[in-house]
Structure formats: structure tokens, C-alpha cells
Amino acid sequence: MFDFFKVAASTPKIKVADVEYNSQRILECMKEASDNGAGLIVFPELSITGYTCQDLFLQDSLINGAKKALLDIRDESEDINIIAVVGVPLMVNTKLYNCAAVIYKGEILGVVPKSYIPNYSEFYEKRHFTSGIDVEADLIIDDEYVDFGTNLLFSVVGTKLKFGIEICEDLWVPNPPSTRLSLAGALLNVNLSASDENTGKDIYRRDLIKNQSARTLSAYVYADAGLGESTTDLVFSGHNLIVENGTVLKESERFKNQTIYADIDLGRLISERRRINTFEIDDDGIEEVEIEFEENDNYSFNRYVDKAPFVPSNQDERQKRCQEILNIQAYGLVKRLEHTGCKCAVVGVSGGLDSTLALLVTVRAFDILNIPRENILAVTMPGFGTTDRTYTNAVTLIKSLKATFREINISEAVKLHFNDIEHNIDIHDITYENAQARQRTYLLMDLANEYNGMVIGTGDMSEMALGWATYNGDHMSMYGVNSGVPKTLVRHLVSYYADTTDKEIADILRDILDTPVSPELLPPKDGVISQKTENLVGPYSLHDFFLYYVLRFGYEPDKILYLAKIAFKGEFNESVIKSWLKTFYRRFFAQQFKRSCMPDGPKVGSVALSPRGDLRMPSDAVGKLWLDKIENL
């Protein structure tokens, strides 16, 4: 469903050289994984015999016994709906190869030999095995021809899955086979491994797999030998990993034989390869083996979907990310101030989250440049909708940060403007609202001229995605420090700042964090904010979720809805999510003209809206395809 495919990495407990016992454990793991909905399972290197057989690999009894066990697995797999990749030693033209056999529904569909045979430190594989690189041979098993070679790519019919195979040391060399296989179209690479444990090796192994997965824009399933291998000189921990484009989806507990599962998002990988044009497909010399796969009726989606994809879920990582983003914002402004020779900044401060963050970033930039904070002209401009709470927070914050405070009440000027255009002040329509926003921007721009300063934009990325900004009002500035920051992340940045500053400022910031998001353009009711943004355009948590998957991966609306239902289960029902998804697409297409002329501002994450960078979109594009898709869901 939606290009997801469940895979498994399994470490059965084996007995060294007991091929009958081992084959039964492998079959048990295959049956269990199939019952759990997996479509592919990967076993460790030489899992039929055990990796640590040493010179027993020179014995005909073991080699012949392993081949018979392979045939037993083949035959008994006929009623198990799962593709299995099993490690086995096989003789081909008088040479012994360390192989991975691909088995499905009673057939051996291909055999891949190990390319790189280690013979250093604790490894003595060249004593027994031959490299499979450039070997051209006919492999006949049980009177049937089987594809054999390091150039095999397995294509699972009925899905978008293509996978390649490498074995243990193959990954550790400078140019792993998985690189070539990925360039030939493999979205998944599997590794049958027997990587022994020593101090710190698990960290190196994990990083190696993550890096190879990221470099090849692929998923990677790593199955490691574990308990049951001989401990004469080495110990194996069964360190299994499933990684997708550099992100660990699942990792086993070491020193505990087990099977791990993960749902690979093939559509996500395809999207990344489409986007990154330096990933160039080269399938020269690759032989594709088709697998006629039957969809597993036991499949169920079991992948964690983060409802806040822009915000790291790990607390330590979130703190680190916030510090990094604040630096990106501040140093972006530092460069612009240095280039223009500007020693003054003008910031409109409302007491809301966005303008608070913009002011904090400006203060940081001025501190970096050793420019006095009093050169920051922080202006509060109360109007018809301003409440005492936001006004007080704005004034107190400005003074606590030691910026220069300026107050200009816009009410009379806006009334004069209404008289000029003959607008009834009692009609609270879009003219009523936007006139206030433009009046504020008009004042900030004139103050910047007066003090030879630069107007710092406060609008965030979520607002620009929805077009929730007044054209040539708060939409405009001389440098938009928040333009790459989504609303859900703005909150965390301000919260992080509160956690790392003195108590006086922290208390103000926490009250700002507790204040409802509002443009405050309509009169308050009983002194309380009457105009709440999320009641009008929808929850920013949903819109940021939509924004991430629309722009980062180009997913279709039905897939985004499916993921959102999982991520926001218990918070929003399907009809609510669908309604706001429709609002998102409608506004996203209709408001591109605002993004087409948005001011400069720093990109801080993987998604950005700049017309000069990440989003080259025509202002008159039609969203009918996307909206019709939602209507027909």
C-alpha cells in the first residue's frame, strides 16, 4: 500500500555445521516473518552452515549437506509467502563460493557470490573461498539452471522494489557492490554478514551502514551472525539493522538473536532520486531477475509517522537543532548587515511568536557584530485588535533585551485611510484587516529610511506556504530571518531560547508561547483575542505536516492523508484532516504569487519556499489535479 514494503532481518540461533538444524530454524523464521506481514527476510552470512566452520568448509560432507539443506528450504518454502535471502557455501566449477541464495515459493531464483574475501586480522576466508568478481559460470542446482553472479538485481513484480545483494566485507571496501547496484536501480540493498564484536565496532558498523544507505539513496537491510556461532576466538552479537536513506528504522538488541521488521517507503526513495539529479542511473552489465510476488495478506502498516516532521523528537537532538537554526538565522542576517554596512535594524514587535523570534535573532546578530543593541529599533504598533496581553509582552520583551523601544498607535492613521478610500470602519472585511498590516509595514519602511536601517521580516515559512500574509504588508521586508522556519519549529526555537536565558526574559517568552496565534486585526472581545489564526486556516501542526510531505517528497494527497491519519490518531479524525488538506492545497496554489516575490531569507532545513532556490513554481498554476484527488478519496 502506497509503495510501502515490509522487510525483516533475522538471526536464528544456529549450531555450527548442523545444517539440518539450521535449515529448520531458518524455515521457522521465514514462517514467523511471513505471518507478521513481511515480504522479504534476510539471514546472516553462511547461515545454513554457520560462519565459523573454518576448515570444515574443505569437507565434502559439509558442502554437500549445505546444498541439500538449501534444497530442503526451497521445497518447504513453497507454502510460505516470503522472499528469503539465505547464506550458503556452494561449489561452482571446482571452486567454493560464499553465497547468498534468493528463494521464493519453492524456487531458487538467483545466487550472488561474495565479491571481497577478507584475509586479515581474525579473518582467513581466502583459505576456503574464492571471490565472485567477474566470474562467469553456469550454476546448476538439482538439474535446474540458476542465475549466478555479482551483477544480479532482483525485481519484485507488482511492487516498485528492486534489491541488490552484498555479503559482509563487500560493504567495508572503498567501492561496495551496493553502490553499483543502487545506480542500476536497486532501492534496497541487503547484506548477509558475520561481523564479530569488539569494543566500539557496533558504532562503526552502524555509521557505515547509515552512510552507505544515504550515499546510495537506498534502504539497507543488514543481518548479522549471532549466538550459536563458535566462540573459539570470536563472539558474534546478531547486530541487525534496517536503514532508509541514512535513517535507522530498526536496530536489534545485541547479544540477543532476534528478527527485526520495518516498512520501507519505496516512494520516498524514488522521490529522492528524482530530486537529486546527480544520482545517475547506470545499469550497464546488470542482469535483472524478476520475482512474481504475491501480496502478503498478513501485511499491516507498522511504521512510526512523526506528526512534527520538522521538529526532532529526541530532546537532546532538538536542543542541538534549535541552536543550529538560530545560528543559521543570525549569521544570515550578519552577512546582510555587513554587506550593506547597515548598523541599524527595524523590527515590528507584536508580542506574538514570529516577531519575538525575529527580535531574538536580530539581537544575536547584533551581538555577533558587536553592534550595540540600542541600534535595534523595536517598534510596537497597537491597532484595533491589539490586546493588553500582547502589548505588554512586546513592550517588556523589547526593554528586557535592551533594544530601543518605539510605540506608534496606527488607529488614527488607518481611520484616515478608510476615509480616503471611503471604507466603512464598521465593516470588518479583508480591507479592514489588510489596511492595518500595510500601515505597519509602511511605518517600518519609513523608519528604516529615517534611521538608515533595515526592516527585518517576521513572517514564517508556514504562513508563506498558506499565503497567510498581507501582500506588500507583513509579506514584505528587507531580510526575512524566519522565512525558512515552519510555525511548529518557531515555537520550539522560542522555547529553547527561554530555557537558555535569564529568568526575566524567560518568563516573558513563556507567556508569549502560551498566547494564541493571531494577527490581531479584529477588535478583541472582553479584552481577549477574538481572531485565532488556527480557527481560520487550520491547525499549523497539520499544515506543517502537509507542507513537509508535499514539498520534500511530492507525495500524492491520498498518501499524505493516510500518513496523517496515523500520525494524528486520537487528535484529528479523517474528515477534519481531509478538510484542512483541501484548504492547504487550495491556498498553496492560489498564493504562489506572494512567494514569487518574497524577500531574501536563509534556508534552515530540507524544505524551503524561496523562488530563487527550492520552489520554482508558476504563480498561475492550477491545483485541480490535487483538489480533485482529495474530493475522490
Side-chain angles (χ1 to χ4, degrees):
M1 179 183 288
F2 297 116
D3 302 328
F4 291 107
F5 196 93
K6 191 180 294 293
V7 297
S10 182
T11 303
K13 186 167 184 178
I14 64 154
K15 293 182 179 180
V16 177
D18 191 341
V19 296
E20 184 177 347
Y21 176 88
N22 297 342
S23 62
Q24 287 305 307
R25 301 294 79 74
I26 288 169
L27 283 163
E28 288 171 3
C29 291
M30 288 171 61
K31 179 68 167 60
E32 178 186 289
S34 177
D35 290 344
N36 285 327
L40 172 71
I41 186 170
V42 184
F43 293 97
E45 182 176 13
L46 297 169
S47 45
I48 286 178
T49 58
Y51 176 77
T52 49
C53 288
Q54 297 188 16
D55 280 0
L56 294 179
F57 284 123
L58 301 177
Q59 297 290 315
D60 287 345
S61 293
L62 182 66
I63 302 308
N64 292 332
K67 186 174 181 180
K68 180 181 181 304
L70 177 66
L71 294 175
D72 289 342
I73 294 171
R74 178 201 66 180
D75 294 341
E76 293 191 47
S77 73
E78 189 169 0
D79 296 323
I80 306 175
N81 188 26
I82 194 168
I83 303 164
V85 187
V86 181
V88 61
L90 287 174
M91 288 285 293
V92 181
N93 294 345
T94 74
K95 294 296 182 181
L96 184 64
Y97 294 91
N98 180 345
C99 297
V102 179
I103 301 170
Y104 182 63
K105 303 280 280 186
E107 288 186 72
I108 300 173
L109 298 170
V111 172
V112 177
K114 189 171 183 176
S115 293
Y116 296 93
I117 312 299
N119 222 58
Y120 59 86
S121 299
E122 65 264 42
F123 303 110
Y124 294 93
E125 287 187 36
K126 281 189 176 180
R127 184 178 177 91
H128 315 114
F129 298 105
T130 297
S131 167
I133 296 176
D134 296 330
V135 172
E136 295 182 4
D138 291 330
L139 176 60
I140 299 176
I141 300 179
D142 199 23
D143 297 327
E144 290 187 2
Y145 174 81
V146 176
D147 288 311
F148 177 85
T150 59
N151 64 333
L152 300 184
L153 182 65
F154 297 87
S155 177
V156 182
V157 177
T159 76
K160 293 181 178 178
L161 178 62
K162 292 184 180 181
F163 69 91
I165 300 172
E166 57 190 9
I167 302 174
C168 201
E169 183 73 11
D170 292 350
L171 172 63
W172 300 66
V173 301
N175 187 20
S178 54
T179 301
R180 181 190 178 206
L181 292 166
S182 297
L183 291 173
L187 290 172
L188 168 70
N189 289 292
V190 306
N191 189 308
L192 299 77
S193 183
S195 178
D196 60 307
E197 286 304 317
N198 52 58
T199 304
K201 191 174 181 180
D202 63 310
I203 299 172
Y204 185 88
R205 184 189 298 120
R206 183 188 305 109
D207 288 345
L208 188 67
I209 294 167
K210 287 169 62 178
N211 288 335
Q212 182 63 1
S213 169
R215 291 176 65 247
T216 56
L217 301 178
S218 68
Y220 203 99
V221 178
Y222 185 89
D224 190 20
L227 306 181
E229 291 285 358
S230 171
T231 59
T232 301
D233 294 299
L234 306 173
V235 172
F236 299 83
S237 72
H239 187 196
N240 298 338
L241 290 121
I242 302 175
V243 180
E244 180 183 285
N245 195 19
T247 299
V248 176
L249 298 182
K250 199 73 174 180
E251 181 173 7
S252 67
E253 181 182 344
R254 289 189 300 148
F255 305 105
K256 181 179 179 181
N257 287 17
Q258 62 184 121
T259 301
I260 60 173
Y261 302 88
D263 294 274
I264 302 298
D265 190 344
L266 301 174
R268 188 172 189 154
L269 296 169
I270 291 169
S271 171
E272 283 294 84
R273 292 185 178 187
R274 177 180 62 205
R275 184 177 66 89
I276 299 176
N277 67 340
T278 51
F279 189 94
E280 298 180 354
I281 296 297
D282 180 7
D283 57 3
D284 184 46
I286 294 294
E287 181 181 345
E288 197 163 300
V289 179
E290 290 191 345
I291 302 176
E292 295 288 341
F293 182 71
E294 297 176 13
E295 186 175 345
N296 192 327
D297 293 335
N298 297 318
Y299 176 77
S300 62
F301 185 82
N302 190 29
R303 174 176 168 132
Y304 173 69
V305 181
D306 194 341
K307 67 179 182 179
F310 290 111
V311 183
S313 55
N314 178 273
Q315 176 69 18
D316 291 338
E317 181 62 29
R318 186 159 63 243
Q319 297 291 89
K320 180 181 176 183
R321 183 76 58 83
C322 287
Q323 173 69 11
E324 182 179 32
I325 290 171
L326 286 168
N327 279 333
I328 291 172
Q329 291 177 277
Y331 279 97
L333 180 56
V334 163
K335 172 60 180 178
R336 184 54 52 94
L337 292 168
E338 284 183 324
H339 176 72
T340 59
C342 187
K343 303 293 184 182
C344 172
V346 180
V347 188
V349 182
S350 67
L353 275 174
D354 290 344
S355 64
T356 294
L357 179 58
L359 179 59
L360 296 174
V361 169
T362 305
V363 165
R364 179 172 288 213
F366 272 56
D367 288 350
I368 292 168
L369 290 169
N370 292 316
I371 301 174
R373 291 186 182 183
E374 53 262 32
N375 284 26
I376 302 172
L377 183 60
V379 189
T380 182
M381 295 168 284
F384 305 135
T386 304
T387 60
D388 290 342
R389 182 180 187 180
T390 55
Y391 171 78
T392 301
N393 280 336
V395 174
T396 310
L397 180 64
I398 292 167
K399 292 181 177 178
S400 297
L401 291 170
K402 296 180 171 55
T404 296
F405 170 71
R406 180 77 176 268
E407 179 179 335
I408 303 174
N409 192 301
I410 66 167
S411 300
E412 292 305 316
V414 174
K415 288 178 183 177
L416 181 61
H417 178 63
F418 286 161
N419 288 333
D420 290 339
I421 65 172
E422 299 180 354
H423 179 78
N424 186 340
I425 196 172
D426 294 324
I427 299 176
H428 297 169
D429 57 6
I430 193 169
T431 303
Y432 180 89
E433 295 186 34
N434 285 350
Q436 297 172 70
R438 291 195 179 100
Q439 178 67 26
R440 288 179 172 126
T441 302
Y442 160 76
L443 288 169
L444 294 175
M445 292 290 181
D446 284 352
L447 285 169
N449 291 153
E450 179 74 19
Y451 291 95
N452 193 27
M454 179 183 298
V455 176
I456 308 304
T458 62
D460 64 56
M461 183 167 69
S462 305
E463 291 179 341
M464 288 307 297
L466 295 168
W468 189 248
T470 299
Y471 190 79
N472 206 32
D474 54 315
H475 156 260
M476 191 49 59
S477 68
M478 295 168 183
Y479 194 75
V481 292
N482 294 341
S483 61
V485 185
K487 184 72 80 177
T488 48
L489 191 53
V490 170
R491 180 170 295 279
H492 286 280
L493 290 170
V494 174
S495 178
Y496 168 78
Y497 203 102
D499 292 339
T500 55
T501 190
D502 62 66
K503 186 178 184 305
E504 179 187 2
I505 296 174
D507 288 344
I508 304 165
L509 296 179
R510 292 195 175 99
D511 193 63
I512 291 171
L513 286 162
D514 289 338
T515 305
V517 177
S518 172
E520 291 195 320
L521 296 173
L522 296 179
K525 293 181 180 178
D526 299 323
V528 178
I529 292 172
S530 63
Q531 185 184 26
K532 296 180 181 179
T533 297
E534 292 182 291
N535 291 344
L536 300 170
V537 296
Y540 276 116
S541 56
L542 281 177
H543 285 310
D544 282 359
F545 186 90
F546 303 153
L547 176 64
Y548 180 78
Y549 285 106
V550 168
L551 289 189
R552 184 70 176 82
F553 300 110
Y555 286 173
E556 291 207 55
D558 52 348
K559 185 171 183 178
I560 295 173
L561 177 62
Y562 176 77
L563 294 173
K565 287 193 299 182
I566 295 168
F568 293 95
K569 185 177 181 181
E571 187 173 349
F572 300 109
N573 63 37
E574 180 176 352
S575 62
V576 170
I577 296 171
K578 182 178 175 182
S579 173
W580 290 124
L581 181 59
K582 184 176 179 181
T583 296
F584 176 87
Y585 276 110
R586 179 178 55 79
R587 294 191 66 96
F588 182 75
F589 276 90
Q591 301 294 312
Q592 172 60 23
F593 73 98
K594 294 179 183 176
R595 297 188 292 269
S596 291
C597 58
M598 63 186 286
D600 293 353
K603 176 180 178 178
V604 303
S606 59
V607 174
L609 299 174
S610 170
R612 299 165 295 277
D614 289 62
L615 185 61
R616 311 294 178 90
M617 177 176 167
S619 296
D620 43 12
V622 177
K624 186 176 185 299
L625 269 174
W626 292 263
L627 291 168
D628 284 352
K629 186 92 173 183
I630 298 170
E631 288 294 336
N632 294 328
L633 289 178

